[in-house]
């Protein structure tokens, strides 16, 4: 209903569509998993008001959902400039960097996050995965030993896969 209402408004009164309406339209599209169309609408809002953190963040998210990691990274970097102490944005940047095979940059962000959130399992797993993907199994092994050998939680399938990968890459097939 909101989407069709916006489309009607746009067709009848195109000169009255401002950045806020483009944002709301883009958000409705994003929430209904129409990420490509959401990017277009959010881009219109961004052109009109490039200083809007909310728009920048949602553009980044939509591009990430579309697996457009380079574009997503650009918007996450802009969002990080607007809110430099937001560790969630740092994590999202790191995941984009991982998907772009830029592991050293991803690891730098992940270690920064781990310093502030030492108990974050998703960050620990991302660090181990990044070390493995960047062909540094010894560093991954140290991190596994430190974080997964005696966990305070029940190991997940992902944890077991990471441990197995580290052992395999180190030729420790015990």
């Amino acid at each position: 209903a909101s989407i069709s209402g916006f489309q009607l408004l746009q067709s009848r009164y195109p000169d009255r569509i401002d950045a806020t309406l483009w944002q709301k339209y883009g958000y409705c599209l994003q929430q209904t998993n129409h990420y490509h169309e959401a990017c277009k609408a959010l881009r219109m809002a961004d052109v009109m008001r490039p200083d809007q953190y909310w728009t920048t963040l949602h553009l980044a998210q939509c591009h990430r959902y579309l697996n457009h990691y380079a574009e997503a990274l650009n918007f996450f970097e802009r969002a990080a400039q607007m809110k430099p102490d937001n560790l969630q944005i740092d994590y999202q940047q790191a995941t984009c960097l991982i998907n772009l095979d830029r592991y050293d940059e991803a690891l730098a962000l992940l270690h920064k996050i781990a310093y502030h959130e030492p108990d974050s399992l998703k960050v620990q797993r991302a660090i181990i995965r990044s070390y493995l993907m960047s062909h540094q199994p010894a560093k991954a092994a140290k991190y596994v030993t430190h974080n997964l050998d005696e966990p305070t939680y029940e190991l997940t399938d992902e944890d077991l896969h990471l441990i197995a990968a580290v052992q395999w890459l180190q030729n420790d097939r015990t």
Side-chain angles (χ1 to χ4, degrees):
S2 298
I3 293 172
S4 58
F6 177 86
Q7 291 167 338
L8 179 65
L9 182 63
Q10 183 185 18
S11 67
R12 290 191 181 166
Y13 308 102
D15 56 326
R16 293 189 180 173
I17 307 295
D18 64 2
T20 302
L21 285 173
W22 281 114
Q23 280 180 333
K24 290 177 181 180
Y25 179 52
Y27 184 70
C28 288
L29 290 165
Q30 181 183 5
Q31 292 304 301
T32 57
N33 301 325
H34 293 95
Y35 301 115
H36 185 72
E37 293 84 2
C39 282
K40 290 179 184 179
L42 292 168
R43 268 300 224 186
M44 292 297 294
D46 190 53
V47 167
M48 293 177 174
R49 298 281 314 272
D51 60 334
Q52 294 294 302
Y53 170 78
W54 189 94
T55 303
T56 304
L57 182 61
H58 285 270
L59 269 166
Q61 291 170 349
C62 285
H63 280 293
R64 191 190 69 231
Y65 291 131
L66 291 168
N67 298 328
H68 299 162
Y69 298 111
E71 293 90 346
L73 180 60
N74 288 334
F75 287 109
F76 281 126
E77 287 173 343
R78 268 184 52 198
Q81 289 174 352
M82 294 174 189
K83 297 205 181 217
D85 296 328
N86 188 319
L87 296 177
Q88 271 300 78
I89 293 174
D90 289 342
Y91 182 79
Q92 296 304 325
Q93 286 182 82
T95 61
C96 289
L97 289 163
I98 289 167
N99 283 292
L100 294 169
D101 299 332
R102 293 167 54 184
Y103 303 109
D104 290 340
E105 294 168 79
L107 282 162
L109 284 169
L110 291 168
H111 283 295
K112 171 187 166 188
I113 300 165
Y115 177 80
H116 294 286
E117 296 179 3
D119 297 328
S120 172
L121 295 176
K122 73 178 182 180
V123 174
Q124 293 172 13
R125 291 175 183 132
I127 289 171
I128 294 166
R129 199 174 315 106
S130 296
Y131 278 135
L132 289 171
M133 296 302 293
S134 62
H135 308 288
Q136 300 180 65
K139 288 185 179 181
K142 287 180 185 175
Y143 217 83
V144 164
T145 302
H146 184 263
N147 293 291
L148 299 181
D149 267 0
E150 295 181 29
T152 57
Y153 61 95
E154 188 172 330
L155 292 174
T156 65
D157 287 344
E158 181 180 6
D159 296 327
L160 296 173
H161 289 131
L162 288 172
I163 292 167
V166 167
Q167 289 175 344
W168 179 265
L169 290 171
Q170 290 198 305
N171 296 322
D172 181 16
R173 300 180 187 134
T174 57

